[in-house]
Short mmCIF file of all heavy atoms in Angstrom, two decimals:
data_model
loop_
_atom_site.label_atom_id
_atom_site.label_comp_id
_atom_site.label_asym_id
_atom_site.label_seq_id
_atom_site.Cartn_x
_atom_site.Cartn_y
_atom_site.Cartn_z
N SER A 1418 8.70 -58.93 -11.72
CA SER A 1418 10.12 -59.22 -11.47
C SER A 1418 10.32 -60.70 -11.16
O SER A 1418 11.12 -61.08 -10.28
CB SER A 1418 10.68 -58.36 -10.33
OG SER A 1418 10.64 -57.00 -10.67
N SER A 1419 9.59 -61.54 -11.86
CA SER A 1419 9.71 -62.98 -11.66
C SER A 1419 9.35 -63.68 -12.98
O SER A 1419 8.77 -63.08 -13.88
CB SER A 1419 8.80 -63.47 -10.53
OG SER A 1419 7.44 -63.22 -10.86
N PHE A 1420 9.71 -64.97 -13.05
CA PHE A 1420 9.40 -65.75 -14.25
C PHE A 1420 9.25 -67.22 -13.87
O PHE A 1420 9.64 -67.64 -12.77
CB PHE A 1420 10.51 -65.59 -15.30
CG PHE A 1420 11.85 -66.15 -14.87
CD1 PHE A 1420 12.23 -67.42 -15.25
CD2 PHE A 1420 12.71 -65.40 -14.08
CE1 PHE A 1420 13.45 -67.95 -14.85
CE2 PHE A 1420 13.94 -65.91 -13.69
CZ PHE A 1420 14.30 -67.19 -14.06
N ARG A 1421 8.68 -67.98 -14.79
CA ARG A 1421 8.47 -69.40 -14.56
C ARG A 1421 9.00 -70.17 -15.76
O ARG A 1421 8.53 -69.97 -16.88
CB ARG A 1421 6.99 -69.70 -14.34
CG ARG A 1421 6.72 -71.12 -13.85
CD ARG A 1421 5.27 -71.27 -13.44
NE ARG A 1421 4.38 -70.97 -14.56
CZ ARG A 1421 3.09 -70.68 -14.42
NH1 ARG A 1421 2.57 -70.58 -13.21
NH2 ARG A 1421 2.34 -70.46 -15.48
N PRO A 1422 10.01 -71.05 -15.56
CA PRO A 1422 10.53 -71.84 -16.67
C PRO A 1422 9.43 -72.68 -17.31
O PRO A 1422 8.48 -73.11 -16.63
CB PRO A 1422 11.60 -72.71 -16.02
CG PRO A 1422 12.01 -71.97 -14.78
CD PRO A 1422 10.75 -71.30 -14.31
N LEU A 1423 9.53 -72.92 -18.58
CA LEU A 1423 8.56 -73.71 -19.30
C LEU A 1423 8.48 -75.12 -18.70
O LEU A 1423 9.50 -75.79 -18.52
CB LEU A 1423 8.96 -73.80 -20.78
CG LEU A 1423 7.97 -74.47 -21.74
CD1 LEU A 1423 6.67 -73.68 -21.80
CD2 LEU A 1423 8.59 -74.59 -23.13
N GLY A 1424 7.27 -75.54 -18.35
CA GLY A 1424 7.07 -76.86 -17.77
C GLY A 1424 7.22 -76.91 -16.27
O GLY A 1424 7.06 -77.96 -15.65
N SER A 1425 7.51 -75.77 -15.64
CA SER A 1425 7.70 -75.73 -14.19
C SER A 1425 6.52 -75.04 -13.53
O SER A 1425 5.92 -74.12 -14.08
CB SER A 1425 8.99 -74.99 -13.84
OG SER A 1425 9.11 -74.79 -12.45
N GLY A 1426 6.20 -75.46 -12.30
CA GLY A 1426 5.14 -74.80 -11.55
C GLY A 1426 5.69 -73.80 -10.56
O GLY A 1426 4.92 -73.10 -9.88
N ALA A 1427 7.02 -73.70 -10.48
CA ALA A 1427 7.68 -72.81 -9.51
C ALA A 1427 8.00 -71.47 -10.15
O ALA A 1427 8.44 -71.39 -11.31
CB ALA A 1427 8.94 -73.45 -8.98
N THR A 1428 7.78 -70.41 -9.41
CA THR A 1428 8.11 -69.06 -9.87
C THR A 1428 9.46 -68.66 -9.30
O THR A 1428 9.74 -68.85 -8.11
CB THR A 1428 7.04 -68.05 -9.42
OG1 THR A 1428 5.78 -68.43 -10.00
CG2 THR A 1428 7.40 -66.65 -9.88
N ILE A 1429 10.31 -68.11 -10.15
CA ILE A 1429 11.67 -67.73 -9.76
C ILE A 1429 11.79 -66.21 -9.76
O ILE A 1429 11.33 -65.54 -10.70
CB ILE A 1429 12.71 -68.33 -10.71
CG1 ILE A 1429 12.61 -69.86 -10.70
CG2 ILE A 1429 14.12 -67.89 -10.34
CD1 ILE A 1429 13.51 -70.54 -11.70
N ARG A 1430 12.38 -65.67 -8.71
CA ARG A 1430 12.60 -64.23 -8.62
C ARG A 1430 13.66 -63.82 -9.63
O ARG A 1430 14.74 -64.43 -9.71
CB ARG A 1430 13.04 -63.87 -7.21
CG ARG A 1430 13.23 -62.38 -6.95
CD ARG A 1430 11.90 -61.68 -6.87
NE ARG A 1430 12.05 -60.26 -6.57
CZ ARG A 1430 11.05 -59.40 -6.59
NH1 ARG A 1430 9.82 -59.82 -6.89
NH2 ARG A 1430 11.25 -58.13 -6.30
N ALA A 1431 13.40 -62.76 -10.40
CA ALA A 1431 14.34 -62.29 -11.42
C ALA A 1431 15.15 -61.11 -10.88
O ALA A 1431 14.60 -60.05 -10.62
CB ALA A 1431 13.59 -61.87 -12.68
N ASN A 1432 16.44 -61.33 -10.71
CA ASN A 1432 17.33 -60.27 -10.24
C ASN A 1432 18.13 -59.75 -11.43
O ASN A 1432 19.33 -60.03 -11.58
CB ASN A 1432 18.25 -60.80 -9.14
CG ASN A 1432 19.21 -59.73 -8.65
OD1 ASN A 1432 18.97 -58.54 -8.81
ND2 ASN A 1432 20.32 -60.17 -8.06
N VAL A 1433 17.48 -59.01 -12.31
CA VAL A 1433 18.13 -58.48 -13.50
C VAL A 1433 17.68 -57.04 -13.75
O VAL A 1433 16.60 -56.63 -13.32
CB VAL A 1433 17.82 -59.32 -14.77
CG1 VAL A 1433 18.40 -60.72 -14.65
CG2 VAL A 1433 16.33 -59.36 -15.03
N ARG A 1434 18.52 -56.33 -14.45
CA ARG A 1434 18.15 -55.00 -14.95
C ARG A 1434 17.89 -55.14 -16.45
O ARG A 1434 18.68 -55.75 -17.17
CB ARG A 1434 19.31 -54.02 -14.72
CG ARG A 1434 18.91 -52.55 -14.80
CD ARG A 1434 19.32 -51.87 -16.08
NE ARG A 1434 19.04 -50.45 -16.01
CZ ARG A 1434 19.90 -49.54 -15.53
NH1 ARG A 1434 21.09 -49.92 -15.09
NH2 ARG A 1434 19.56 -48.26 -15.49
N VAL A 1435 16.80 -54.60 -16.93
CA VAL A 1435 16.40 -54.76 -18.33
C VAL A 1435 16.69 -53.48 -19.10
O VAL A 1435 16.29 -52.38 -18.70
CB VAL A 1435 14.90 -55.11 -18.45
CG1 VAL A 1435 14.47 -55.16 -19.91
CG2 VAL A 1435 14.61 -56.45 -17.76
N ILE A 1436 17.41 -53.65 -20.21
CA ILE A 1436 17.61 -52.58 -21.18
C ILE A 1436 17.05 -53.07 -22.50
O ILE A 1436 17.42 -54.16 -22.96
CB ILE A 1436 19.10 -52.22 -21.34
CG1 ILE A 1436 19.72 -51.79 -20.00
CG2 ILE A 1436 19.28 -51.11 -22.38
CD1 ILE A 1436 21.22 -51.54 -20.08
N ALA A 1437 16.17 -52.31 -23.10
CA ALA A 1437 15.57 -52.68 -24.37
C ALA A 1437 15.97 -51.68 -25.44
O ALA A 1437 16.27 -50.52 -25.15
CB ALA A 1437 14.05 -52.74 -24.25
N ALA A 1438 15.99 -52.15 -26.69
CA ALA A 1438 16.36 -51.28 -27.81
C ALA A 1438 15.41 -51.53 -28.97
O ALA A 1438 14.95 -52.66 -29.18
CB ALA A 1438 17.80 -51.53 -28.24
N CYS A 1439 15.13 -50.47 -29.71
CA CYS A 1439 14.27 -50.61 -30.89
C CYS A 1439 14.69 -49.57 -31.93
O CYS A 1439 15.28 -48.55 -31.60
CB CYS A 1439 12.80 -50.43 -30.53
SG CYS A 1439 12.40 -48.78 -29.93
N ASN A 1440 14.42 -49.87 -33.18
CA ASN A 1440 14.69 -48.90 -34.26
C ASN A 1440 13.40 -48.47 -34.94
O ASN A 1440 13.42 -47.94 -36.04
CB ASN A 1440 15.68 -49.47 -35.29
CG ASN A 1440 15.27 -50.82 -35.81
OD1 ASN A 1440 14.08 -51.15 -35.86
ND2 ASN A 1440 16.24 -51.64 -36.18
N SER A 1441 12.27 -48.71 -34.26
CA SER A 1441 10.97 -48.26 -34.76
C SER A 1441 10.33 -47.31 -33.74
O SER A 1441 10.78 -47.24 -32.59
CB SER A 1441 10.03 -49.46 -34.98
OG SER A 1441 10.59 -50.39 -35.87
N ASP A 1442 9.32 -46.61 -34.19
CA ASP A 1442 8.57 -45.72 -33.30
C ASP A 1442 7.55 -46.57 -32.53
O ASP A 1442 6.50 -46.94 -33.06
CB ASP A 1442 7.87 -44.64 -34.13
CG ASP A 1442 7.15 -43.61 -33.26
OD1 ASP A 1442 6.98 -43.86 -32.04
OD2 ASP A 1442 6.76 -42.56 -33.79
N LEU A 1443 7.89 -46.90 -31.28
CA LEU A 1443 7.00 -47.79 -30.51
C LEU A 1443 5.63 -47.16 -30.27
O LEU A 1443 4.62 -47.87 -30.24
CB LEU A 1443 7.66 -48.14 -29.17
CG LEU A 1443 8.79 -49.17 -29.20
CD1 LEU A 1443 9.19 -49.56 -27.78
CD2 LEU A 1443 8.38 -50.41 -29.99
N GLN A 1444 5.59 -45.85 -30.09
CA GLN A 1444 4.29 -45.20 -29.87
C GLN A 1444 3.39 -45.38 -31.09
O GLN A 1444 2.18 -45.59 -30.94
CB GLN A 1444 4.49 -43.72 -29.56
CG GLN A 1444 5.09 -43.47 -28.18
CD GLN A 1444 5.16 -42.00 -27.85
OE1 GLN A 1444 5.25 -41.14 -28.73
NE2 GLN A 1444 5.12 -41.68 -26.57
N GLN A 1445 3.98 -45.31 -32.28
CA GLN A 1445 3.20 -45.52 -33.49
C GLN A 1445 2.75 -46.98 -33.59
O GLN A 1445 1.61 -47.26 -33.99
CB GLN A 1445 4.03 -45.15 -34.73
CG GLN A 1445 3.31 -45.29 -36.06
CD GLN A 1445 2.07 -44.40 -36.14
OE1 GLN A 1445 2.06 -43.28 -35.62
NE2 GLN A 1445 1.02 -44.89 -36.80
N LEU A 1446 3.63 -47.90 -33.20
CA LEU A 1446 3.25 -49.32 -33.21
C LEU A 1446 2.13 -49.60 -32.21
O LEU A 1446 1.27 -50.45 -32.45
CB LEU A 1446 4.47 -50.19 -32.89
CG LEU A 1446 5.61 -50.20 -33.91
CD1 LEU A 1446 6.71 -51.16 -33.47
CD2 LEU A 1446 5.10 -50.59 -35.30
N VAL A 1447 2.13 -48.89 -31.09
CA VAL A 1447 1.04 -49.03 -30.12
C VAL A 1447 -0.28 -48.58 -30.75
O VAL A 1447 -1.32 -49.24 -30.60
CB VAL A 1447 1.34 -48.22 -28.84
CG1 VAL A 1447 0.10 -48.15 -27.95
CG2 VAL A 1447 2.49 -48.85 -28.07
N LYS A 1448 -0.26 -47.44 -31.47
CA LYS A 1448 -1.46 -46.95 -32.12
C LYS A 1448 -1.97 -47.93 -33.16
O LYS A 1448 -3.18 -48.06 -33.38
CB LYS A 1448 -1.17 -45.60 -32.79
CG LYS A 1448 -0.90 -44.46 -31.81
CD LYS A 1448 -0.58 -43.17 -32.55
CE LYS A 1448 -0.27 -42.03 -31.58
NZ LYS A 1448 0.09 -40.78 -32.29
N GLU A 1449 -1.04 -48.63 -33.83
CA GLU A 1449 -1.41 -49.59 -34.87
C GLU A 1449 -1.74 -50.97 -34.29
O GLU A 1449 -1.94 -51.92 -35.04
CB GLU A 1449 -0.27 -49.72 -35.88
CG GLU A 1449 0.02 -48.42 -36.62
CD GLU A 1449 1.29 -48.51 -37.47
OE1 GLU A 1449 1.95 -49.59 -37.46
OE2 GLU A 1449 1.63 -47.52 -38.13
N LYS A 1450 -1.76 -51.07 -32.94
CA LYS A 1450 -2.08 -52.32 -32.25
C LYS A 1450 -1.06 -53.42 -32.53
O LYS A 1450 -1.36 -54.62 -32.43
CB LYS A 1450 -3.49 -52.83 -32.64
CG LYS A 1450 -4.60 -51.80 -32.48
CD LYS A 1450 -4.77 -51.38 -31.03
CE LYS A 1450 -5.94 -50.43 -30.87
NZ LYS A 1450 -6.09 -49.95 -29.47
N ARG A 1451 0.17 -53.05 -32.86
CA ARG A 1451 1.22 -54.03 -33.12
C ARG A 1451 2.20 -54.14 -31.96
O ARG A 1451 3.10 -54.98 -32.00
CB ARG A 1451 1.96 -53.68 -34.41
CG ARG A 1451 1.12 -53.85 -35.68
CD ARG A 1451 1.98 -53.82 -36.92
NE ARG A 1451 2.49 -52.47 -37.19
CZ ARG A 1451 3.62 -52.23 -37.84
NH1 ARG A 1451 4.38 -53.23 -38.24
NH2 ARG A 1451 4.00 -50.99 -38.07
N PHE A 1452 2.02 -53.27 -30.97
CA PHE A 1452 2.85 -53.36 -29.77
C PHE A 1452 1.96 -53.03 -28.58
O PHE A 1452 1.18 -52.07 -28.61
CB PHE A 1452 4.03 -52.39 -29.84
CG PHE A 1452 5.15 -52.73 -28.89
CD1 PHE A 1452 6.14 -53.62 -29.27
CD2 PHE A 1452 5.21 -52.18 -27.61
CE1 PHE A 1452 7.18 -53.96 -28.40
CE2 PHE A 1452 6.23 -52.51 -26.74
CZ PHE A 1452 7.22 -53.40 -27.14
N ARG A 1453 2.10 -53.81 -27.52
CA ARG A 1453 1.22 -53.65 -26.36
C ARG A 1453 1.52 -52.35 -25.64
O ARG A 1453 2.68 -52.03 -25.32
CB ARG A 1453 1.42 -54.82 -25.40
CG ARG A 1453 0.96 -56.16 -25.96
CD ARG A 1453 1.15 -57.26 -24.93
NE ARG A 1453 0.41 -56.99 -23.71
CZ ARG A 1453 -0.36 -57.88 -23.08
NH1 ARG A 1453 -0.50 -59.09 -23.60
NH2 ARG A 1453 -0.99 -57.57 -21.96
N ALA A 1454 0.47 -51.58 -25.35
CA ALA A 1454 0.64 -50.31 -24.66
C ALA A 1454 1.19 -50.51 -23.25
O ALA A 1454 2.06 -49.75 -22.80
CB ALA A 1454 -0.68 -49.55 -24.61
N ASP A 1455 0.72 -51.56 -22.56
CA ASP A 1455 1.19 -51.78 -21.18
C ASP A 1455 2.67 -52.14 -21.16
O ASP A 1455 3.41 -51.73 -20.27
CB ASP A 1455 0.36 -52.85 -20.48
CG ASP A 1455 0.11 -54.09 -21.33
OD1 ASP A 1455 0.66 -54.17 -22.45
OD2 ASP A 1455 -0.65 -54.97 -20.89
N LEU A 1456 3.13 -52.90 -22.17
CA LEU A 1456 4.56 -53.23 -22.24
C LEU A 1456 5.38 -52.00 -22.58
O LEU A 1456 6.47 -51.79 -22.03
CB LEU A 1456 4.79 -54.33 -23.28
CG LEU A 1456 6.26 -54.74 -23.48
CD1 LEU A 1456 6.87 -55.23 -22.18
CD2 LEU A 1456 6.36 -55.82 -24.56
#
């Protein structure tokens, strides 16, 4: 729940809610090693 701007050494707390969308089968992409399982 944090990020670091490019070129910065400071970490910033991220106060956001994340909604993601896809039109592919992510589980199949994970099996094909094209999408990270942890993500």
Side-chain angles (χ1 to χ4, degrees):
S1418 296
S1419 62
F1420 65 96
R1421 190 171 59 198
L1423 187 64
S1425 172
T1428 299
I1429 300 175
R1430 184 73 178 172
N1432 179 21
V1433 295
R1434 197 256 187 89
V1435 176
I1436 302 175
C1439 64
N1440 52 29
S1441 302
D1442 184 347
L1443 284 188
Q1444 289 185 332
Q1445 182 60 36
L1446 294 182
V1447 169
K1448 292 178 181 178
E1449 297 172 359
K1450 307 297 184 183
R1451 291 194 289 152
F1452 199 87
R1453 294 182 58 133
D1455 45 5
L1456 178 58

